[in-house]
Amino acid sequence: MTNAVIDCILSRTAAKYYDPSASLSDDQIRELVRIGTTAPTSFHLQNWRFIAVRTPEAKARLSPIAWSQPPITEAAVTFIVVGQLADSSVVPERLAPVVEAGIMPAKLIPDWEIPARGLYQDYPQRQRDEAVRTATFGAAAMIYVARSWGLGSTPMIGFDDEAVHREFGLAEDEVPVLLLSVGAERSGNWPQKPRRPVAEVLELA
Ligand SMILES: Cc1cc2nc3c(=O)[nH]c(=O)nc-3n(C[C@H](O)[C@H](O)[C@H](O)COP(=O)(O)O)c2cc1C
């Protein structure tokens, strides 16, 4: 069985070579993030932030602290995908628009906030895990939006996280989870690599 979504998933690769003359408008960047942020987050926390590094000056600040990886200077944009430590006190504010839209009754807000507090408040490792999960879901959604637009993407962990934190003024509760380059590709990129067999990675319980 195939369809456009499956084709998009099956044809995605991590690009290395980008067309350095191709750019994305700020409106296209905003649209990419808008669609990407429809990805799910725990308790609808939306504990993420995206820094779109797209000017030559900003790229020059990022490149040396990200192993001088070619996509940073050549791709139209590289997002610093930032996860924020999970904080249950923001739940009411994050759910207010859901109530306003008539999706959720206001009386249910404590039913989300109280378990979120129990889950995260005294558990720093879990707060950080959630920051990483949230940023990863957002980045994944953006990767497939990019692919559907015919653009390449590259998730990258090859960077100095402390330097990125400092250089781009991240807050104390923010983690630079990964870099994500997006842009028009040029030739020379590898096709998608074969995967481990399903039988090796799937347990049917
Ligand atoms: C969390 C993560 C970090 C990665 N970091 C880098 C990186 O720093 N540099 C790079 O060239 N590729 C990086 N990659 C791309 C992987 O090497 C690539 O996804 C993998 O080899 C599978 O290839 P494919 O995505 O083309 O199927 C990263 C991928 C992920 C998911």
Side-chain angles (χ1 to χ4, degrees):
M1 146 121 191
T2 188
N3 59 43
V5 175
I6 294 172
D7 287 348
C8 178
I9 294 171
L10 292 179
S11 63
R12 181 217 56 83
T13 63
K16 181 167 182 185
Y17 302 114
Y18 287 88
D19 175 355
S21 67
S23 58
L24 287 173
S25 69
D26 286 356
D27 279 346
Q28 286 171 309
I29 292 172
R30 280 189 199 96
E31 187 63 356
L32 186 59
V33 172
R34 186 188 70 78
I35 303 171
T37 54
T38 61
T41 57
S42 177
F43 296 100
H44 204 37
L45 282 172
Q46 302 167 78
N47 49 324
W48 46 30
R49 202 160 70 81
F50 304 85
I51 301 172
V53 175
R54 87 267 194 250
T55 63
E57 296 73 28
K59 289 176 177 181
R61 283 164 59 210
L62 182 58
S63 178
I65 51 177
W67 301 5
S68 303
Q69 297 209 51
I72 292 163
T73 41
E74 297 197 341
V77 59
T78 296
F79 294 95
I80 303 170
V81 184
V82 176
Q84 297 167 325
L85 301 182
D87 170 8
S88 63
S89 72
V90 304
V91 167
E93 140 197 356
R94 299 292 146 82
L95 292 180
V98 185
V99 172
E100 213 164 291
I103 295 168
M104 176 184 203
K107 66 175 187 331
L108 284 187
I109 292 178
D111 293 0
W112 289 43
E113 187 182 0
I114 294 163
R117 192 183 308 142
L119 194 60
Y120 300 121
Q121 189 164 266
D122 299 320
Y123 299 95
Q125 177 68 52
R126 221 177 265 162
Q127 293 169 14
R128 196 175 194 284
D129 289 348
E130 209 55 67
V132 174
R133 265 193 290 266
T134 289
T136 305
F137 267 105
M142 287 162 64
I143 283 171
Y144 290 113
V145 175
R147 178 65 201 142
S148 78
W149 290 352
L151 302 174
S153 64
T154 322
M156 288 177 291
I157 192 57
F159 64 93
D160 177 338
D161 57 350
E162 282 176 17
V164 168
H165 198 280
R166 201 170 39 245
E167 181 65 31
F168 288 88
L170 270 57
E172 211 166 293
D173 71 340
E174 292 186 320
V175 181
V177 173
L178 53 84
L179 304 180
L180 176 64
S181 296
V182 173
E185 294 177 62
R186 65 181 155 93
S187 60
N189 286 316
W190 288 354
Q192 197 180 65
K193 304 173 191 86
R195 263 38 187 186
R196 295 168 67 191
V198 171
E200 208 176 293
V201 299
L202 171 67
E203 176 181 334
L204 295 167

